[in-house]
Amino acid sequence: MELSLDTSLVFIPKTISDFLAQLSTMEDSSQRSSELDAYVKRLEDEMRKIEVFKRELPLCMLLLKDAIERLKEKVMQCKKMEDRPVIEEFIPLKGNLDENGGGVLGKENSDKKNWMSSAQLWSTSLNIFEYNKHDSVSGLRMRNEEDDRSVPENPIEASNNRAMGRTFVPFKEQYESGFTGTCLKDDKEVSQVPSLSLMTPLMSEALDASTNTNIKSNNNCRGGSGSGLAGQLKLQNKPQQQSQQQQPFRKQRRCWSPELHRRFVESLQQLGGTQVATPKQIRELMQVDGLTNDEVKSHLQKYRLHVRKLPASSAAKGNGIWMPLDHSADHSKANNSQSGSPQGPLLPGEFAKGRSTTGGESDNSREAEEDEKSDGQSWKGGLLHNNQGGDV
DNA sequence: GGCGTAATAT
DNA sequence: GATATTACGC
């Protein structure tokens, strides 16, 4: 516990802009490179540290990743053309960041709008919208007051449609390392973004996506697949290899993002459980534009199946979409739709409710319910989580 | 038209 | 194999 802390060894946090400014004063290119590497390392360490909280700190994650990404680019540049000034590209960024709160993670309390604006600017290569798109899209667009008066052109939807036109910059591989895309499972690669499913803050801002009807045009879930741009184009309306049978083409698959699933589960609970809630009711409660009864029905079917037999297997796939949702905030939201009794009816209903509907699987249904609560992950994770408060 | 389930596609 | 869409019957 000495304190002979050699300043050279002590890392004094700097904003990226400061760091780069300092970097630019260095003559020695190799030194610049090492400094850059070191800085990147620190950022990466930092990111690992907050990895656990990525859901709570989606913005931090995003900022860090972006920063790392950008710096890595710098490193590359540095190693190649040393004579090239390191800063230029960051100037704008700097400006924005400083204005908004200073430095990279400066004050993250700056409100979303500021963040968004800065993010947009600073994400020259990392398109923030693409980011949102993936996540939210997954989704949809919740119908809230916000949307109604939301931006005239819906960032997401717009991006979905013209995403192709815009620069689609595949995210770096590096990003993938620590994160898991949400829905892209059926597609191979997909440079997905961290799936911070709970981009809630952003969602309310820019969220909005596939909407109406079934324009599955978006669905970026798989959208990013294939090869960025090409992949997206593909999604637009590709009859692809539709079965020769009937319809010209199948609607694009709706991707149930964590957020979407969360709403689904919440609605389900409010309606009294998987066995009593009907697709239509759920859909209405979810208040998600563009979501169809069929989609909900399908998801419900799957959900019921999982709940019914989650025994052990289910636990295994705890991640994916069914990751635990964070109840904390959502309640308020969810509740609005339903009258006043939040959880009262919820859980109880879940378990108490008779298997009215079918009636065939009396036993099963009951067991399923049990399972639901027991597990914390996968489906049920979303399912009963709410009880945490003891409401149940 | 809604629902549940099976078949089918991805 | 998992998940989403479509077909069918009620």
Side-chain angles (χ1 to χ4, degrees):
Chain A
M1 347 229 207
E2 256 305 319
L3 353 127
S4 51
L5 304 176
D6 184 335
T7 45
S8 64
L9 297 177
V10 176
F11 175 67
I12 301 173
K14 297 185 186 72
T15 63
I16 289 184
S17 43
D18 285 346
F19 170 69
L20 291 174
Q22 179 189 315
L23 209 63
S24 67
T25 66
M26 296 180 193
E27 299 282 307
D28 187 348
S29 60
S30 63
Q31 186 188 359
R32 282 204 301 242
S33 287
S34 62
E35 286 291 319
L36 268 170
D37 285 332
Y39 198 94
V40 169
K41 270 195 170 52
R42 289 185 184 287
L43 289 176
E44 290 176 331
D45 284 343
E46 196 100 348
M47 192 164 82
R48 273 191 285 278
K49 291 177 190 169
I50 68 169
E51 165 72 23
V52 189
F53 306 107
K54 62 182 176 186
R55 299 181 67 234
E56 284 72 34
L57 305 172
L59 301 187
C60 287
M61 289 298 290
L62 179 61
L63 287 170
L64 273 174
K65 278 188 288 190
D66 196 15
I68 291 170
E69 154 71 355
R70 300 308 300 271
L71 287 178
K72 279 188 173 175
E73 285 175 14
K74 284 300 156 206
V75 174
M76 298 298 274
Q77 283 178 30
C78 244
K79 287 175 179 170
K80 291 181 181 179
M81 354 184 209
E82 270 117 66
D83 40 6
R84 191 168 177 171
V86 187
I87 313 203
E88 18 182 336
E89 285 191 11
F90 276 85
I91 291 177
L93 173 117
K94 167 186 179 180
N96 279 303
L97 288 175
D98 287 345
E99 288 173 12
N100 290 321
V104 185
L105 297 175
K107 2 191 102 183
E108 49 186 11
N109 48 2
S110 54
D111 68 274
K112 315 169 208 168
K113 299 205 170 178
N114 286 334
W115 184 82
M116 280 296 283
S117 58
S118 66
Q120 286 180 52
L121 293 173
W122 112 326
S123 55
T124 38
S125 64
L126 209 182
N127 191 315
I128 188 67
F129 278 128
E130 288 295 331
Y131 180 96
N132 288 329
K133 204 176 62 175
H134 287 306
D135 179 275
S136 42
V137 158
S138 32
L140 38 173
R141 138 173 165 185
M142 327 289 208
R143 305 182 212 142
N144 287 326
E145 333 77 61
E146 290 195 75
D147 308 41
D148 298 291
R149 43 122 176 145
S150 65
V151 202
E153 57 145 46
N154 302 331
I156 302 290
E157 187 171 357
S159 67
N160 282 328
N161 295 327
R162 47 185 147 121
M164 24 183 175
R166 67 193 317 170
T167 55
F168 177 91
V169 183
F171 294 88
K172 302 335 249 43
E173 338 51 64
Q174 44 192 105
Y175 290 161
E176 305 182 79
S177 58
F179 308 78
T180 51
T182 22
C183 321
L184 23 153
K185 67 175 32 11
D186 42 351
D187 285 307
K188 359 327 27 226
E189 55 100 335
V190 179
S191 43
Q192 194 68 342
V193 199
S195 67
L196 325 181
S197 34
L198 27 29
M199 302 267 320
T200 29
L202 293 178
M203 296 189 76
S204 55
E205 291 289 316
L207 159 47
D208 176 342
S210 47
T211 32
N212 11 344
T213 63
N214 313 311
I215 36 164
K216 299 5 211 64
S217 38
N218 24 326
N219 263 308
N220 336 346
C221 295
R222 32 140 81 265
S225 70
S227 44
L229 205 163
Q232 303 227 353
L233 286 171
K234 219 157 83 179
L235 303 181
Q236 288 307 304
N237 284 323
K238 42 71 173 292
Q240 274 192 316
Q241 39 86 277
Q242 68 270 51
S243 23
Q244 57 293 12
Q245 321 210 312
Q246 311 125 304
Q247 339 174 289
F249 50 53
R250 276 172 93 88
K251 61 188 276 197
Q252 290 266 319
R253 295 169 67 121
R254 152 114 339 6
C255 185
W256 284 79
S257 67
E259 171 65 18
L260 196 49
H261 179 66
R262 184 175 66 73
R263 289 181 79 95
F264 169 82
V265 173
E266 283 173 5
S267 301
L268 200 54
Q269 295 177 329
Q270 290 175 39
L271 292 169
T274 57
Q275 302 304 314
V276 295
T278 65
K280 189 180 181 183
Q281 293 176 313
I282 296 172
R283 182 180 63 75
E284 293 174 344
L285 210 51
M286 285 177 74
Q287 289 199 300
V288 172
D289 274 354
L291 190 61
T292 66
N293 283 348
D294 279 348
E295 290 168 337
V296 174
K297 186 174 68 174
S298 171
H299 197 63
L300 179 60
Q301 177 179 32
K302 188 180 61 167
Y303 189 84
R304 284 169 171 163
L305 281 173
H306 277 256
V307 164
R308 192 164 300 178
K309 48 179 169 188
L310 356 177
S313 56
S314 62
K317 58 183 168 193
N319 49 19
I321 297 181
W322 333 118
M323 48 212 266
L325 339 154
D326 32 337
H327 351 323
S328 43
D330 25 74
H331 277 37
S332 53
K333 241 193 271 177
N335 293 337
N336 64 359
S337 40
Q338 69 158 113
S339 53
S341 50
Q343 31 257 130
L346 309 190
L347 283 304
E350 184 73 307
F351 311 112
K353 51 74 178 316
R355 45 286 26 194
S356 53
T357 43
T358 51
E361 18 63 300
S362 54
D363 280 354
N364 295 331
S365 63
R366 198 161 62 60
E367 291 181 8
E369 256 110 53
E370 298 280 304
D371 293 336
E372 297 177 329
K373 39 175 162 188
S374 53
D375 258 312
Q377 319 196 29
S378 56
W379 289 89
K380 34 256 274 33
L383 224 172
L384 329 310
H385 69 282
N386 57 353
N387 11 356
Q388 57 156 6
D391 21 343
V392 189

